[in-house]
Amino acid sequence: MSHLHLSVRIDPNSGFCFGVIYAIQMAEDLLDEQGYLHCLGDIVHNDEEVQRLEARGLRIIGYDELRELRDEAVLIRAHGEPPSTYEMAMRNNLTLIDASCPVVLKLQNRIKTSYDKQERIFIYGKHGHAEVLGLLGQTSGRAVVFENLSELLSHELPANITLYSQTTKSTDSFYRIKGELEQRGFQVNANDTICRQVSNRDKDLRRFAAQFDQIVFVSGTKSSNGKVLYQVCQDTNPQTHFISNVEQLDAGWFKPGQSVGICGATSTPMWLMEQVREALVTL
């Protein structure tokens, strides 16, 4: 039985964002219908959830396999895809089940419009990230992706900069970068395309993390948004522990009778946070 008597609560605002809920719902419906489904790339940046869906028949494929695939249905995940993926699907007679997040699609359209107007586009985001590759594709690969201000400043910058952001970046950092560029005399056309479901979590999480002795942050290691939100928790409550699954919990972190808050990324499934809660309650 429990010796530590921890009082444990899951953050009600944590867990999947609507884009991910929608993609997983679509995948589950199709798996029920046909028993298997191809998905281009990890459906969500969470290994535990991917394994759960793979056990139900989800087959994760990459671009090499997509090239060889014919006459099948393929799920496009919430992160979105570049135009080249849609072109390949037409060539190979693939049916695309498009679960691209509406926030990402809107951003893709805005970037394409800027590109058609021949603006010089800079995207604040993570190199190689699925969403960013979809955004770059709108500009035939010509936009410049940067991860921080010093990387941006290492480029030859035009006087007029059109600034965009990956949807899961921090709003504070985005506006800091904009301000810094303006101070240096650049004309900045800033398009804040950060998803409010993600950026509002920032404030919600600070409030949540401040209420507990310890925080357990549950996220896959591949989640960009997980890294950002973990940092937010850590800044608010230094007693924050990052885990990807229940096995990584360490009873040594806790003292008897402490309060523990559990939270996670927009890619962390609720069932996983519930598993962590069960484990903590029995410590």
Side-chain angles (χ1 to χ4, degrees):
M1 244 334 267
S2 165
H3 302 296
L4 285 174
H5 303 295
L6 302 171
S7 69
V8 185
R9 204 165 66 119
I10 296 176
D11 171 22
N13 296 304
S14 278
F16 291 155
C17 59
F18 67 78
V20 171
I21 290 173
Y22 173 68
I24 286 176
Q25 191 61 63
M26 259 177 157
E28 290 186 322
D29 290 349
L30 284 151
L31 288 169
D32 288 344
E33 231 167 85
Q34 56 182 45
Y36 76 95
L37 173 67
H38 293 93
C39 174
L40 184 57
D42 283 346
I43 187 162
V44 59
H45 288 149
N46 186 282
D47 293 340
E48 314 295 312
E49 180 68 354
V50 169
Q51 281 158 14
R52 182 184 76 82
L53 290 165
E54 281 178 335
R56 291 188 58 175
L58 190 72
R59 302 173 185 172
I60 306 278
I61 60 168
Y63 292 111
D64 292 345
E65 290 143 298
L66 187 72
R67 262 181 222 107
E68 305 303 317
L69 206 58
R70 300 284 180 281
D71 318 315
E72 284 279 3
V74 179
L75 182 81
I76 301 278
R77 58 198 172 161
H79 301 94
E81 282 294 320
S84 53
T85 299
Y86 293 85
E87 287 154 18
M88 194 186 300
M90 284 183 72
R91 278 199 302 276
N92 292 3
N93 193 33
L94 301 171
T95 307
L96 291 184
I97 294 131
D98 199 336
S100 298
C101 166
V103 179
V104 174
L105 286 178
K106 188 175 161 196
L107 167 55
Q108 286 188 352
N109 286 331
R110 286 177 66 178
I111 286 186
K112 185 172 189 331
T113 305
S114 286
Y115 178 67
D116 292 342
K117 291 187 194 150
Q118 301 188 313
E119 294 173 13
R120 296 285 302 276
I121 300 166
F122 293 81
I123 301 169
Y124 174 43
K126 181 178 167 189
H127 290 287
H129 186 282
E131 182 193 321
V132 171
L133 297 177
L135 301 177
L136 263 176
Q138 309 306 316
T139 70
S140 309
R142 298 225 175 94
V144 174
V145 176
F146 66 96
E147 296 192 4
N148 52 48
L149 186 69
S150 60
E151 182 184 350
L152 175 60
L153 294 172
S154 71
H155 291 278
E156 276 286 320
L157 297 178
N160 285 327
I161 293 174
T162 296
L163 200 57
Y164 281 97
S165 169
Q166 184 180 337
T167 58
T168 50
K169 283 290 182 198
S170 129
T171 24
D172 292 352
S173 313
F174 180 77
Y175 284 105
R176 247 205 317 278
I177 288 164
K178 172 185 187 275
E180 188 69 40
L181 287 170
E182 287 172 339
Q183 268 182 336
R184 290 165 186 258
F186 292 101
Q187 268 305 121
V188 184
N189 165 15
N191 301 273
D192 171 359
T193 50
I194 292 161
C195 174
R196 288 305 175 250
Q197 250 205 320
V198 175
S199 65
N200 292 343
R201 285 194 182 193
D202 217 318
K203 299 186 258 310
D204 293 339
L205 258 192
R206 281 181 211 284
R207 267 199 299 274
F208 180 80
Q211 300 170 30
F212 300 87
D213 298 320
Q214 306 269 353
I215 294 291
V216 175
F217 188 87
V218 188
S219 168
T221 50
K222 291 181 197 163
S223 166
S224 295
N225 154 261
K227 289 187 184 67
V228 172
L229 293 178
Y230 168 65
Q231 223 22 79
V232 167
C233 279
Q234 181 82 52
D235 292 345
T236 308
N237 186 337
Q239 294 302 309
T240 297
H241 312 277
F242 185 103
I243 65 167
S244 293
N245 53 46
V246 178
E247 286 71 59
Q248 294 172 352
L249 271 179
D250 180 350
W253 294 336
F254 311 100
K255 294 186 178 67
Q258 280 193 324
S259 60
V260 184
I262 300 170
C263 41
T266 47
S267 51
T268 304
M270 190 49 78
W271 64 262
L272 187 58
M273 289 185 280
E274 282 164 358
Q275 256 186 16
V276 172
R277 180 181 59 196
E278 291 312 302
L280 286 169
V281 171
T282 53
L283 280 181

